[in-house]
Amino acid sequence: EASARAAASPRFTTSRSGAIASAAAKAQRVVVIGASFIGLEAAAALRTRGLEVHVVAPGARPLEKILGAEVGDFIRTLHEAQGVTFHFNTKPSVVQEDALTLDNGERIAADLIVVGIGVRPLIHLAEQAGLATDQGVLVNEFLESSVPGIYAAGDIARYPSSQDGERVRIEHWVVAERQGQAAARNMLGRRAPYTDVPFFWSAHYDVTLNYVGHAEHWDAIQIEGRLADRNCTVRYLAQGKAKAVLTIARDTESLQAELSLQRD
């Protein structure tokens, strides 16, 4: 388990990261569009290379929808301390060869633009086949679609969470790998529900965020320790129960949280 988690970070494919690294070697000023995990990891990598980095995002702070306002502010401060400049509450309007113009009229000179704005599931084939879909292919706890004998796994599958039954769709290669294995076993007649708790980690300079569970919404956020000290546990609670746990510099607690969520 620990070794599997050590390899589970959102990151670029080798070909894409290689292309960005090659372009960065010739650049001085970069604009990153998107302030989620991919965009911010790209910003950190490019800033570490000594490039001037600007990040453009439509929200008020990075990662707020996923991690909440307090963690979002911490991540913003972390990147700003490394020299990253943020442009919030705005979107790209015009892309030129040497600049990006935002919808608020601001023009940012740039010789490299990196776009990290998320993905959409390709479900056209499933729709044409008559499978039930809703922002993904709807599957049951066995990863079987609305048509018996047809299964879906990975980024396109919206499955019932073992924690509360709420349908979730997780864009992470570890989930795709494990769901593919579970779907194969169920195709062979095992009929075992998929109950693995999702997790990922994301590195920003010398700070690593470990996240287990899945919380698209919550009633409260409970923080033990201090974000500013880069040593804390953040719990995302719904009806008094943890749906996800974020840790910084507390690997043992992260593993314990995963076991607890698995049991619950």
Side-chain angles (χ1 to χ4, degrees), residues 129-218:
L131 307 185
T133 61
D134 179 15
Q135 302 177 57
V137 178
L138 299 180
V139 297
N140 60 19
E141 68 272 27
F142 305 109
L143 304 177
E144 189 172 24
S145 73
S146 59
V147 177
I150 298 180
Y151 294 73
D155 290 9
I156 67 168
R158 285 198 66 201
Y159 66 98
S161 166
S162 61
Q163 294 176 253
D164 53 18
E166 182 177 344
R167 288 191 179 273
V168 298
R169 186 174 64 82
I170 309 295
E171 297 170 1
H172 196 282
W173 71 267
V174 170
V175 172
E177 181 179 68
R178 293 183 176 183
Q179 285 190 344
Q181 295 168 348
R185 288 191 292 267
N186 288 332
M187 289 178 189
L188 295 173
R190 181 173 176 179
R191 299 299 286 175
Y194 179 78
T195 60
D196 287 14
V197 174
F199 64 86
F200 65 84
W201 62 264
S202 182
H204 302 254
Y205 311 103
D206 59 346
V207 175
T208 299
L209 311 174
N210 285 300
Y211 183 99
V212 297
H214 185 78
E216 295 184 7
H217 50 79
W218 51 80

Side-chain angles (χ1 to χ4, degrees), residues 74 77-78 81-82 204-207 226-232 248-250:
F74 164 74
T77 300
L78 177 66
Q82 296 291 332
H204 302 254
Y205 311 103
D206 59 346
V207 175
R226 281 171 38 87
L227 285 162
D229 294 338
R230 305 182 181 187
N231 188 318
C232 63
I248 301 175
R250 298 186 177 188

Side-chain angles (χ1 to χ4, degrees), residues 47-107:
R47 188 71 192 104
T48 300
R49 288 173 174 263
L51 281 69
E52 180 179 340
V53 177
H54 294 253
V55 176
V56 175
R61 53 178 59 84
L63 294 170
E64 180 174 9
K65 290 184 178 180
I66 302 172
L67 302 178
E70 290 182 83
V71 177
D73 285 337
F74 164 74
I75 293 172
R76 174 181 180 172
T77 300
L78 177 66
H79 280 266
E80 288 179 335
Q82 296 291 332
V84 173
T85 300
F86 285 100
H87 304 262
F88 290 116
N89 298 310
T90 187
K91 298 179 181 179
S93 177
V94 179
V95 177
Q96 298 170 299
E97 185 176 353
D98 61 350
L100 178 71
T101 300
L102 306 180
D103 60 7
N104 62 7
E106 183 180 3
R107 184 177 185 273

